[in-house]
Amino acid sequence: MDGAWDIAFVLFQMWLSIVVGLIMLPAMFGMSLGFTDIYIKVLVKILEWATLRIQRGLKEQPTLPSQSANGIIKKDDGSMEEEIGELRRSHPKNLAGADFTLCDAFNFCKKGIENIVEDQVTQRFTSEELASWNLLTRTNNNFRYISVRLTIIWGLGVFIRYFILLPLRITLAVIGLSWLVIGTNLVGLLPSSTVKNWLSDLVHITCYRICARALSATIRYHNKENRPKKGGICVANHTSPIDVVILANDGCYAMVGQVHEGPMGVIQRSMVRSCPHVWFERSENKDRHAVAKRLKDHIADKTKLPILIFPEGTCINNTSVMMFKKGSFEIGGTIYPVAIKYDPQFGDAFWNSAKYNIVSYILRMMTSWAIVCNVWYLPPMTRQDGEDAVHFANRVKSAIAQQASLVNLSWDGGLKREKVKESLKNEQKKNYSRTIKGL
C-alpha cells in the first residue's frame, strides 16, 4: 500500500513540475515555449486530413457547402417604398398613388413568412455553422462513421481532450483563479501608491495569462499602438465570457458588471480590493443615472485603468455585431474600439446562455481543441460635434464589424429574451405611412 502512495506522490510531483515549469512560469513572464503553436499546426493537418476523408467518403465537392450570406432563403434588399411601389404597379389596375390598397398586405405577409423561416435575430444566438467537421462530437454525430481510420482518430481525440487536456486545463484554471483571489487580497492590504498599482496589474495579468493557458488559447493581437489608455473606455463585440480573459492577456482593465453571489462574488470582492473595478448592485444597475455617474467619475481620473464594456449586453455567435446600448457613449471620454473574432475550426467560443449554464459552457470550452482568435485594436474615436450617442454608438459598431468581417445588424440583442418593443412596431407603421404618402 505504501508503494502505491509513493508512486502516486511521484506522479503528482511530475504533474506539478510540468504545469509550473512548462506552462505557469512562461505565462507569468508573457512568454511561450512554442508547444501551443506546434499543437495548433498538428491540429490543422489532422483536420485537413479528416476533411479530405469525409469528402472522399461522401463523394462531394472539394469543400463542403457553407451557409450563404443570405441564409436558406432569398430575401429582397429593397426598401419598403420600392417593394410596395412595384407591387402596386404590377396590379392590373395600376394602383400607384392610392392611399391604401389591400394588395399592400401581400408585402407584409411575404416579409412575415421570410422572418418566420429565417429571421436576422434568432440565428445569431445559435452556434456558427462550420464548413467542415472539426472532429468534435457536438458539431456532427455522423461524420465519424465514414471510415475506420476516421473513427479511430475521433476516438483518440476524445481520449486526449477528456483524459489529458481536461485535467491539465482544470489544474491551470484552479491555480489561476486561486492566485487571483489570494494575490488581489494581499495587494489590497497595501496603502494606495504606485507600487500597489504596479503589483495589482502584475497579479491580474499573470492570472489571466494562466487562465488563457487553461483554454490552450492562441491569440493574435493587431495594431497594438491603438491599445486602450488610462482614463478611456474600451468597447468590444461580445461572443463569450472569456472575452475578458482574451483582452486582459494583453493589458489591464477596470471591469464593469453586476455584483454576484457565490464563487463569482468572492472573485469580484477580491479584485476590487486591489483595483478600482466598477461593480453595481442589482437595484443600482437599474438606475442609469447612478451608473453613468460612477463611470464618469472613473474616466475623469486619468490614472485609473481603462473601463472594459461590452455594449451589446449579451453574447452573439461570432458572426455578427448587434445594437450597441447608447449608455456607454453618453458619458464622454475617448472610446477605444476593439474587434474580436474567434476561429470556430478549433472550438465554438459562443455562449448560448439559454441552452447551457456557465458550468456546462466552461466544460465545453475545456474539452474543445483550443481557443484561437484575432484581436484588432482600432484607432480611438470621440464624439463629433452635433453627434448624438446613438449615432456615435452605430459609428463605433460599424468600425468593429468591418474590421472583423462581421455582419452589422441594427437589432437589439435583448430580443433574445424579450418581446419586440412597441417603439420598433410603431417605427414600421411610420415607415408605411411615409411610403404611401410618397407614392
Side-chain angles (χ1 to χ4, degrees), residues 124-125 235-245 247 308-322 324 338-342 349-351 361 400 406 416:
R124 309 304 168 184
F125 302 111
V235 298
N237 57 302
H238 198 23
T239 303
S240 159
I242 65 173
D243 292 341
V244 174
V245 176
L247 293 177
L308 176 58
I309 299 178
F310 300 103
E312 288 168 299
T314 189
C315 294
I316 313 299
N317 72 348
N318 197 45
T319 63
S320 315
V321 181
M322 302 192 78
F324 278 8
V338 177
I340 307 173
K341 177 69 174 178
Y342 292 89
F350 168 60
W351 181 30
Y361 170 75
I400 291 175
L406 300 169
K416 176 169 69 171

mmCIF file of all heavy atoms in Angstrom, residues 124-125 235-245 247 308-322 324 338-342 349-351 361 400 406 416:
data_model
loop_
_atom_site.group_PDB
_atom_site.id
_atom_site.type_symbol
_atom_site.label_atom_id
_atom_site.label_comp_id
_atom_site.label_asym_id
_atom_site.label_seq_id
_atom_site.Cartn_x
_atom_site.Cartn_y
_atom_site.Cartn_z
ATOM 1 N N ARG A 124 -28.641 34.463 -34.745
ATOM 2 C CA ARG A 124 -27.418 34.985 -34.128
ATOM 3 C C ARG A 124 -27.176 34.395 -32.748
ATOM 4 O O ARG A 124 -26.144 34.661 -32.132
ATOM 5 C CB ARG A 124 -27.480 36.509 -34.030
ATOM 6 C CG ARG A 124 -27.833 37.204 -35.326
ATOM 7 C CD ARG A 124 -26.897 36.846 -36.462
ATOM 8 N NE ARG A 124 -27.438 37.305 -37.749
ATOM 9 C CZ ARG A 124 -26.885 37.080 -38.922
ATOM 10 N NH1 ARG A 124 -25.765 36.378 -38.979
ATOM 11 N NH2 ARG A 124 -27.436 37.518 -40.036
ATOM 12 N N PHE A 125 -28.116 33.591 -32.254
ATOM 13 C CA PHE A 125 -27.988 33.002 -30.924
ATOM 14 C C PHE A 125 -27.927 31.478 -30.992
ATOM 15 O O PHE A 125 -28.285 30.785 -30.056
ATOM 16 C CB PHE A 125 -29.143 33.459 -30.029
ATOM 17 C CG PHE A 125 -29.224 34.951 -29.900
ATOM 18 C CD1 PHE A 125 -30.265 35.663 -30.466
ATOM 19 C CD2 PHE A 125 -28.232 35.655 -29.245
ATOM 20 C CE1 PHE A 125 -30.331 37.040 -30.362
ATOM 21 C CE2 PHE A 125 -28.282 37.028 -29.133
ATOM 22 C CZ PHE A 125 -29.333 37.723 -29.697
ATOM 23 N N VAL A 235 -14.464 49.428 -25.757
ATOM 24 C CA VAL A 235 -15.711 48.745 -26.119
ATOM 25 C C VAL A 235 -15.384 47.669 -27.145
ATOM 26 O O VAL A 235 -14.571 47.878 -28.052
ATOM 27 C CB VAL A 235 -16.777 49.715 -26.660
ATOM 28 C CG1 VAL A 235 -17.157 50.737 -25.613
ATOM 29 C CG2 VAL A 235 -16.300 50.413 -27.919
ATOM 30 N N ALA A 236 -16.014 46.506 -27.004
ATOM 31 C CA ALA A 236 -15.735 45.375 -27.887
ATOM 32 C C ALA A 236 -17.007 44.594 -28.154
ATOM 33 O O ALA A 236 -17.964 44.646 -27.364
ATOM 34 C CB ALA A 236 -14.676 44.462 -27.259
ATOM 35 N N ASN A 237 -17.029 43.890 -29.280
ATOM 36 C CA ASN A 237 -18.136 42.959 -29.536
ATOM 37 C C ASN A 237 -18.031 41.790 -28.557
ATOM 38 O O ASN A 237 -16.956 41.475 -28.047
ATOM 39 C CB ASN A 237 -18.094 42.476 -30.983
ATOM 40 C CG ASN A 237 -16.777 41.808 -31.353
ATOM 41 O OD1 ASN A 237 -15.717 42.405 -31.252
ATOM 42 N ND2 ASN A 237 -16.847 40.549 -31.790
ATOM 43 N N HIS A 238 -19.169 41.153 -28.298
ATOM 44 C CA HIS A 238 -19.245 40.174 -27.201
ATOM 45 C C HIS A 238 -19.702 38.829 -27.739
ATOM 46 O O HIS A 238 -20.802 38.695 -28.272
ATOM 47 C CB HIS A 238 -20.225 40.687 -26.142
ATOM 48 C CG HIS A 238 -20.083 40.031 -24.814
ATOM 49 N ND1 HIS A 238 -18.934 39.417 -24.392
ATOM 50 C CD2 HIS A 238 -20.971 39.903 -23.783
ATOM 51 C CE1 HIS A 238 -19.104 38.951 -23.161
ATOM 52 N NE2 HIS A 238 -20.328 39.225 -22.780
ATOM 53 N N THR A 239 -18.837 37.827 -27.594
ATOM 54 C CA THR A 239 -19.159 36.460 -28.011
ATOM 55 C C THR A 239 -19.244 35.507 -26.835
ATOM 56 O O THR A 239 -20.033 34.563 -26.849
ATOM 57 C CB THR A 239 -18.087 35.940 -29.000
ATOM 58 O OG1 THR A 239 -18.012 36.820 -30.117
ATOM 59 C CG2 THR A 239 -18.422 34.537 -29.490
ATOM 60 N N SER A 240 -18.428 35.754 -25.812
ATOM 61 C CA SER A 240 -18.260 34.774 -24.748
ATOM 62 C C SER A 240 -17.788 35.456 -23.465
ATOM 63 O O SER A 240 -17.184 36.538 -23.504
ATOM 64 C CB SER A 240 -17.218 33.736 -25.202
ATOM 65 O OG SER A 240 -16.662 33.055 -24.110
ATOM 66 N N PRO A 241 -18.036 34.830 -22.301
ATOM 67 C CA PRO A 241 -17.456 35.353 -21.055
ATOM 68 C C PRO A 241 -15.936 35.377 -21.074
ATOM 69 O O PRO A 241 -15.318 36.167 -20.363
ATOM 70 C CB PRO A 241 -17.979 34.373 -19.984
ATOM 71 C CG PRO A 241 -19.211 33.777 -20.575
ATOM 72 C CD PRO A 241 -18.950 33.695 -22.040
ATOM 73 N N ILE A 242 -15.323 34.530 -21.901
ATOM 74 C CA ILE A 242 -13.859 34.503 -21.941
ATOM 75 C C ILE A 242 -13.291 35.669 -22.749
ATOM 76 O O ILE A 242 -12.064 35.806 -22.847
ATOM 77 C CB ILE A 242 -13.333 33.166 -22.500
ATOM 78 C CG1 ILE A 242 -13.730 32.994 -23.973
ATOM 79 C CG2 ILE A 242 -13.824 31.991 -21.679
ATOM 80 C CD1 ILE A 242 -13.085 31.777 -24.626
ATOM 81 N N ASP A 243 -14.160 36.530 -23.309
ATOM 82 C CA ASP A 243 -13.671 37.746 -23.959
ATOM 83 C C ASP A 243 -12.804 38.552 -22.999
ATOM 84 O O ASP A 243 -11.815 39.167 -23.403
ATOM 85 C CB ASP A 243 -14.842 38.611 -24.434
ATOM 86 C CG ASP A 243 -15.620 37.978 -25.577
ATOM 87 O OD1 ASP A 243 -15.067 37.073 -26.237
ATOM 88 O OD2 ASP A 243 -16.774 38.372 -25.792
ATOM 89 N N VAL A 244 -13.191 38.548 -21.721
ATOM 90 C CA VAL A 244 -12.436 39.285 -20.704
ATOM 91 C C VAL A 244 -11.024 38.718 -20.588
ATOM 92 O O VAL A 244 -10.040 39.462 -20.535
ATOM 93 C CB VAL A 244 -13.160 39.217 -19.343
ATOM 94 C CG1 VAL A 244 -12.309 39.843 -18.241
ATOM 95 C CG2 VAL A 244 -14.515 39.907 -19.421
ATOM 96 N N VAL A 245 -10.910 37.391 -20.541
ATOM 97 C CA VAL A 245 -9.599 36.739 -20.438
ATOM 98 C C VAL A 245 -8.757 37.045 -21.668
ATOM 99 O O VAL A 245 -7.555 37.321 -21.573
ATOM 100 C CB VAL A 245 -9.769 35.216 -20.263
ATOM 101 C CG1 VAL A 245 -8.419 34.513 -20.241
ATOM 102 C CG2 VAL A 245 -10.542 34.912 -18.992
ATOM 103 N N LEU A 247 -8.859 39.682 -23.716
ATOM 104 C CA LEU A 247 -8.384 41.064 -23.755
ATOM 105 C C LEU A 247 -7.407 41.357 -22.615
ATOM 106 O O LEU A 247 -6.422 42.084 -22.806
ATOM 107 C CB LEU A 247 -9.569 42.030 -23.686
ATOM 108 C CG LEU A 247 -10.507 42.024 -24.904
ATOM 109 C CD1 LEU A 247 -11.667 42.970 -24.688
ATOM 110 C CD2 LEU A 247 -9.749 42.406 -26.165
ATOM 111 N N LEU A 308 -13.583 48.463 -19.350
ATOM 112 C CA LEU A 308 -13.918 47.493 -20.387
ATOM 113 C C LEU A 308 -15.422 47.254 -20.381
ATOM 114 O O LEU A 308 -15.990 46.840 -19.371
ATOM 115 C CB LEU A 308 -13.181 46.175 -20.155
ATOM 116 C CG LEU A 308 -13.509 45.024 -21.115
ATOM 117 C CD1 LEU A 308 -13.223 45.418 -22.558
ATOM 118 C CD2 LEU A 308 -12.741 43.767 -20.738
ATOM 119 N N ILE A 309 -16.072 47.539 -21.515
ATOM 120 C CA ILE A 309 -17.529 47.419 -21.630
ATOM 121 C C ILE A 309 -17.879 46.669 -22.911
ATOM 122 O O ILE A 309 -17.251 46.867 -23.952
ATOM 123 C CB ILE A 309 -18.205 48.812 -21.644
ATOM 124 C CG1 ILE A 309 -17.923 49.567 -20.335
ATOM 125 C CG2 ILE A 309 -19.708 48.687 -21.852
ATOM 126 C CD1 ILE A 309 -18.509 50.963 -20.302
ATOM 127 N N PHE A 310 -18.897 45.814 -22.813
ATOM 128 C CA PHE A 310 -19.449 45.125 -23.987
ATOM 129 C C PHE A 310 -20.844 45.698 -24.229
ATOM 130 O O PHE A 310 -21.826 45.258 -23.611
ATOM 131 C CB PHE A 310 -19.506 43.617 -23.749
ATOM 132 C CG PHE A 310 -18.154 43.010 -23.471
ATOM 133 C CD1 PHE A 310 -17.777 42.677 -22.185
ATOM 134 C CD2 PHE A 310 -17.254 42.792 -24.502
ATOM 135 C CE1 PHE A 310 -16.539 42.122 -21.920
ATOM 136 C CE2 PHE A 310 -16.009 42.239 -24.258
ATOM 137 C CZ PHE A 310 -15.641 41.908 -22.963
ATOM 138 N N PRO A 311 -20.984 46.686 -25.128
ATOM 139 C CA PRO A 311 -22.247 47.433 -25.261
ATOM 140 C C PRO A 311 -23.420 46.624 -25.792
ATOM 141 O O PRO A 311 -24.558 47.068 -25.686
ATOM 142 C CB PRO A 311 -21.883 48.558 -26.233
ATOM 143 C CG PRO A 311 -20.390 48.594 -26.284
ATOM 144 C CD PRO A 311 -19.949 47.202 -26.009
ATOM 145 N N GLU A 312 -23.168 45.453 -26.399
ATOM 146 C CA GLU A 312 -24.287 44.639 -26.893
ATOM 147 C C GLU A 312 -25.127 44.101 -25.742
ATOM 148 O O GLU A 312 -26.318 43.836 -25.904
ATOM 149 C CB GLU A 312 -23.762 43.482 -27.738
ATOM 150 C CG GLU A 312 -23.218 43.910 -29.092
ATOM 151 C CD GLU A 312 -22.442 42.805 -29.781
ATOM 152 O OE1 GLU A 312 -21.421 42.347 -29.228
ATOM 153 O OE2 GLU A 312 -22.844 42.402 -30.884
ATOM 154 N N GLY A 313 -24.495 43.885 -24.590
ATOM 155 C CA GLY A 313 -25.233 43.438 -23.410
ATOM 156 C C GLY A 313 -25.550 41.958 -23.393
ATOM 157 O O GLY A 313 -26.149 41.463 -22.440
ATOM 158 N N THR A 314 -25.169 41.217 -24.420
ATOM 159 C CA THR A 314 -25.398 39.776 -24.471
ATOM 160 C C THR A 314 -24.415 39.162 -25.459
ATOM 161 O O THR A 314 -23.776 39.877 -26.238
ATOM 162 C CB THR A 314 -26.848 39.466 -24.900
ATOM 163 O OG1 THR A 314 -27.112 38.078 -24.747
ATOM 164 C CG2 THR A 314 -27.091 39.852 -26.363
ATOM 165 N N CYS A 315 -24.277 37.850 -25.430
ATOM 166 C CA CYS A 315 -23.318 37.166 -26.307
ATOM 167 C C CYS A 315 -23.945 36.876 -27.668
ATOM 168 O O CYS A 315 -25.068 36.378 -27.749
ATOM 169 C CB CYS A 315 -22.857 35.857 -25.661
ATOM 170 S SG CYS A 315 -21.904 36.083 -24.140
ATOM 171 N N ILE A 316 -23.198 37.205 -28.729
ATOM 172 C CA ILE A 316 -23.621 36.965 -30.107
ATOM 173 C C ILE A 316 -22.682 35.911 -30.701
ATOM 174 O O ILE A 316 -21.520 35.804 -30.311
ATOM 175 C CB ILE A 316 -23.560 38.260 -30.941
ATOM 176 C CG1 ILE A 316 -24.212 39.423 -30.180
ATOM 177 C CG2 ILE A 316 -24.232 38.065 -32.299
ATOM 178 C CD1 ILE A 316 -25.670 39.230 -29.867
ATOM 179 N N ASN A 317 -23.152 35.158 -31.680
ATOM 180 C CA ASN A 317 -22.470 33.928 -32.087
ATOM 181 C C ASN A 317 -21.284 34.066 -33.042
ATOM 182 O O ASN A 317 -21.075 33.226 -33.908
ATOM 183 C CB ASN A 317 -23.483 32.950 -32.707
ATOM 184 C CG ASN A 317 -23.942 33.403 -34.082
ATOM 185 O OD1 ASN A 317 -23.700 34.536 -34.497
ATOM 186 N ND2 ASN A 317 -24.604 32.510 -34.810
ATOM 187 N N ASN A 318 -20.509 35.138 -32.926
ATOM 188 C CA ASN A 318 -19.251 35.238 -33.658
ATOM 189 C C ASN A 318 -19.440 35.473 -35.155
ATOM 190 O O ASN A 318 -18.492 35.364 -35.935
ATOM 191 C CB ASN A 318 -18.401 33.962 -33.447
ATOM 192 C CG ASN A 318 -16.945 34.131 -33.828
ATOM 193 O OD1 ASN A 318 -16.316 35.127 -33.484
ATOM 194 N ND2 ASN A 318 -16.390 33.165 -34.549
ATOM 195 N N THR A 319 -20.677 35.780 -35.569
ATOM 196 C CA THR A 319 -20.924 36.075 -36.978
ATOM 197 C C THR A 319 -21.376 37.511 -37.196
ATOM 198 O O THR A 319 -21.314 38.004 -38.323
ATOM 199 C CB THR A 319 -22.022 35.159 -37.553
ATOM 200 O OG1 THR A 319 -23.266 35.424 -36.864
ATOM 201 C CG2 THR A 319 -21.664 33.685 -37.383
ATOM 202 N N SER A 320 -21.815 38.178 -36.131
ATOM 203 C CA SER A 320 -22.463 39.477 -36.284
ATOM 204 C C SER A 320 -22.142 40.392 -35.111
ATOM 205 O O SER A 320 -21.632 39.964 -34.077
ATOM 206 C CB SER A 320 -23.988 39.309 -36.376
ATOM 207 O OG SER A 320 -24.334 38.261 -37.253
ATOM 208 N N VAL A 321 -22.472 41.669 -35.317
ATOM 209 C CA VAL A 321 -22.469 42.654 -34.238
ATOM 210 C C VAL A 321 -23.864 43.262 -34.187
ATOM 211 O O VAL A 321 -24.385 43.718 -35.206
ATOM 212 C CB VAL A 321 -21.422 43.763 -34.481
ATOM 213 C CG1 VAL A 321 -21.436 44.751 -33.322
ATOM 214 C CG2 VAL A 321 -20.044 43.178 -34.648
ATOM 215 N N MET A 322 -24.471 43.243 -33.015
ATOM 216 C CA MET A 322 -25.827 43.770 -32.866
ATOM 217 C C MET A 322 -25.781 45.122 -32.176
ATOM 218 O O MET A 322 -24.711 45.644 -31.860
ATOM 219 C CB MET A 322 -26.701 42.767 -32.117
ATOM 220 C CG MET A 322 -26.761 41.409 -32.803
ATOM 221 S SD MET A 322 -28.021 40.285 -32.183
ATOM 222 C CE MET A 322 -29.470 40.948 -32.980
ATOM 223 N N PHE A 324 -25.450 48.437 -30.218
ATOM 224 C CA PHE A 324 -24.718 48.866 -29.037
ATOM 225 C C PHE A 324 -25.628 49.762 -28.197
ATOM 226 O O PHE A 324 -26.216 50.710 -28.711
ATOM 227 C CB PHE A 324 -23.469 49.657 -29.438
ATOM 228 C CG PHE A 324 -22.292 48.796 -29.822
ATOM 229 C CD1 PHE A 324 -22.421 47.418 -29.969
ATOM 230 C CD2 PHE A 324 -21.049 49.360 -30.049
ATOM 231 C CE1 PHE A 324 -21.346 46.625 -30.331
ATOM 232 C CE2 PHE A 324 -19.957 48.577 -30.403
ATOM 233 C CZ PHE A 324 -20.105 47.211 -30.546
ATOM 234 N N VAL A 338 -12.477 47.744 -29.987
ATOM 235 C CA VAL A 338 -11.707 46.513 -30.136
ATOM 236 C C VAL A 338 -12.594 45.467 -30.818
ATOM 237 O O VAL A 338 -13.748 45.266 -30.407
ATOM 238 C CB VAL A 338 -11.212 45.983 -28.776
ATOM 239 C CG1 VAL A 338 -10.486 44.652 -28.959
ATOM 240 C CG2 VAL A 338 -10.287 46.987 -28.103
ATOM 241 N N ALA A 339 -12.078 44.832 -31.842
ATOM 242 C CA ALA A 339 -12.820 43.789 -32.559
ATOM 243 C C ALA A 339 -12.228 42.425 -32.224
ATOM 244 O O ALA A 339 -11.004 42.249 -32.268
ATOM 245 C CB ALA A 339 -12.762 44.037 -34.066
ATOM 246 N N ILE A 340 -13.102 41.473 -31.876
ATOM 247 C CA ILE A 340 -12.676 40.117 -31.522
ATOM 248 C C ILE A 340 -13.345 39.139 -32.477
ATOM 249 O O ILE A 340 -14.565 39.177 -32.667
ATOM 250 C CB ILE A 340 -13.062 39.761 -30.071
ATOM 251 C CG1 ILE A 340 -12.550 40.821 -29.088
ATOM 252 C CG2 ILE A 340 -12.532 38.384 -29.687
ATOM 253 C CD1 ILE A 340 -13.045 40.611 -27.669
ATOM 254 N N LYS A 341 -12.550 38.245 -33.051
ATOM 255 C CA LYS A 341 -13.087 37.237 -33.965
ATOM 256 C C LYS A 341 -12.448 35.897 -33.646
ATOM 257 O O LYS A 341 -11.221 35.743 -33.717
ATOM 258 C CB LYS A 341 -12.790 37.634 -35.421
ATOM 259 C CG LYS A 341 -13.236 36.614 -36.455
ATOM 260 C CD LYS A 341 -14.750 36.515 -36.569
ATOM 261 C CE LYS A 341 -15.169 35.606 -37.711
ATOM 262 N NZ LYS A 341 -16.632 35.463 -37.806
ATOM 263 N N TYR A 342 -13.273 34.898 -33.308
ATOM 264 C CA TYR A 342 -12.790 33.561 -32.967
ATOM 265 C C TYR A 342 -12.767 32.678 -34.208
ATOM 266 O O TYR A 342 -13.565 32.861 -35.139
ATOM 267 C CB TYR A 342 -13.683 32.921 -31.906
ATOM 268 C CG TYR A 342 -13.607 33.585 -30.555
ATOM 269 C CD1 TYR A 342 -14.455 34.638 -30.231
ATOM 270 C CD2 TYR A 342 -12.687 33.167 -29.599
ATOM 271 C CE1 TYR A 342 -14.394 35.254 -28.989
ATOM 272 C CE2 TYR A 342 -12.611 33.781 -28.353
ATOM 273 C CZ TYR A 342 -13.470 34.817 -28.062
ATOM 274 O OH TYR A 342 -13.401 35.435 -26.835
ATOM 275 N N ALA A 349 -16.615 29.240 -29.354
ATOM 276 C CA ALA A 349 -16.491 30.080 -28.160
ATOM 277 C C ALA A 349 -17.814 30.715 -27.750
ATOM 278 O O ALA A 349 -17.915 31.250 -26.638
ATOM 279 C CB ALA A 349 -15.452 31.175 -28.398
ATOM 280 N N PHE A 350 -18.827 30.663 -28.604
ATOM 281 C CA PHE A 350 -20.100 31.328 -28.295
ATOM 282 C C PHE A 350 -20.795 30.671 -27.111
ATOM 283 O O PHE A 350 -20.903 29.451 -27.042
ATOM 284 C CB PHE A 350 -21.005 31.273 -29.525
ATOM 285 C CG PHE A 350 -22.426 31.664 -29.262
ATOM 286 C CD1 PHE A 350 -22.747 32.922 -28.771
ATOM 287 C CD2 PHE A 350 -23.462 30.764 -29.498
ATOM 288 C CE1 PHE A 350 -24.057 33.277 -28.518
ATOM 289 C CE2 PHE A 350 -24.779 31.106 -29.261
ATOM 290 C CZ PHE A 350 -25.077 32.369 -28.764
ATOM 291 N N TRP A 351 -21.265 31.504 -26.187
ATOM 292 C CA TRP A 351 -22.022 31.019 -25.030
ATOM 293 C C TRP A 351 -23.509 31.210 -25.277
ATOM 294 O O TRP A 351 -24.006 32.324 -25.248
ATOM 295 C CB TRP A 351 -21.613 31.736 -23.749
ATOM 296 C CG TRP A 351 -22.363 31.221 -22.539
ATOM 297 C CD1 TRP A 351 -22.835 29.966 -22.341
ATOM 298 C CD2 TRP A 351 -22.751 31.963 -21.365
ATOM 299 N NE1 TRP A 351 -23.473 29.854 -21.125
ATOM 300 C CE2 TRP A 351 -23.428 31.076 -20.501
ATOM 301 C CE3 TRP A 351 -22.557 33.282 -20.959
ATOM 302 C CZ2 TRP A 351 -23.938 31.470 -19.265
ATOM 303 C CZ3 TRP A 351 -23.056 33.673 -19.725
ATOM 304 C CH2 TRP A 351 -23.738 32.767 -18.888
ATOM 305 N N TYR A 361 -20.912 25.365 -19.982
ATOM 306 C CA TYR A 361 -20.183 26.111 -21.023
ATOM 307 C C TYR A 361 -18.673 26.004 -20.817
ATOM 308 O O TYR A 361 -17.928 25.744 -21.764
ATOM 309 C CB TYR A 361 -20.613 27.572 -21.004
ATOM 310 C CG TYR A 361 -19.746 28.446 -21.874
ATOM 311 C CD1 TYR A 361 -19.871 28.427 -23.258
ATOM 312 C CD2 TYR A 361 -18.771 29.268 -21.311
ATOM 313 C CE1 TYR A 361 -19.058 29.214 -24.060
ATOM 314 C CE2 TYR A 361 -17.952 30.056 -22.104
ATOM 315 C CZ TYR A 361 -18.103 30.023 -23.474
ATOM 316 O OH TYR A 361 -17.293 30.784 -24.261
ATOM 317 N N ILE A 400 -16.088 48.249 -35.913
ATOM 318 C CA ILE A 400 -15.754 46.921 -35.378
ATOM 319 C C ILE A 400 -16.207 45.829 -36.331
ATOM 320 O O ILE A 400 -15.461 44.878 -36.620
ATOM 321 C CB ILE A 400 -16.398 46.740 -33.988
ATOM 322 C CG1 ILE A 400 -15.724 47.661 -32.964
ATOM 323 C CG2 ILE A 400 -16.322 45.283 -33.529
ATOM 324 C CD1 ILE A 400 -16.374 47.645 -31.589
ATOM 325 N N LEU A 406 -17.661 41.007 -39.701
ATOM 326 C CA LEU A 406 -18.898 40.576 -39.065
ATOM 327 C C LEU A 406 -20.082 41.291 -39.701
ATOM 328 O O LEU A 406 -19.944 42.401 -40.225
ATOM 329 C CB LEU A 406 -18.865 40.876 -37.565
ATOM 330 C CG LEU A 406 -17.741 40.204 -36.763
ATOM 331 C CD1 LEU A 406 -17.672 40.791 -35.356
ATOM 332 C CD2 LEU A 406 -17.946 38.704 -36.699
ATOM 333 N N LYS A 416 -33.364 38.486 -27.629
ATOM 334 C CA LYS A 416 -33.183 37.063 -27.324
ATOM 335 C C LYS A 416 -34.074 36.648 -26.159
ATOM 336 O O LYS A 416 -34.543 35.517 -26.092
ATOM 337 C CB LYS A 416 -31.715 36.803 -26.988
ATOM 338 C CG LYS A 416 -31.408 35.379 -26.561
ATOM 339 C CD LYS A 416 -29.934 35.111 -26.500
ATOM 340 C CE LYS A 416 -29.240 35.839 -25.378
ATOM 341 N NZ LYS A 416 -27.829 35.402 -25.211
#
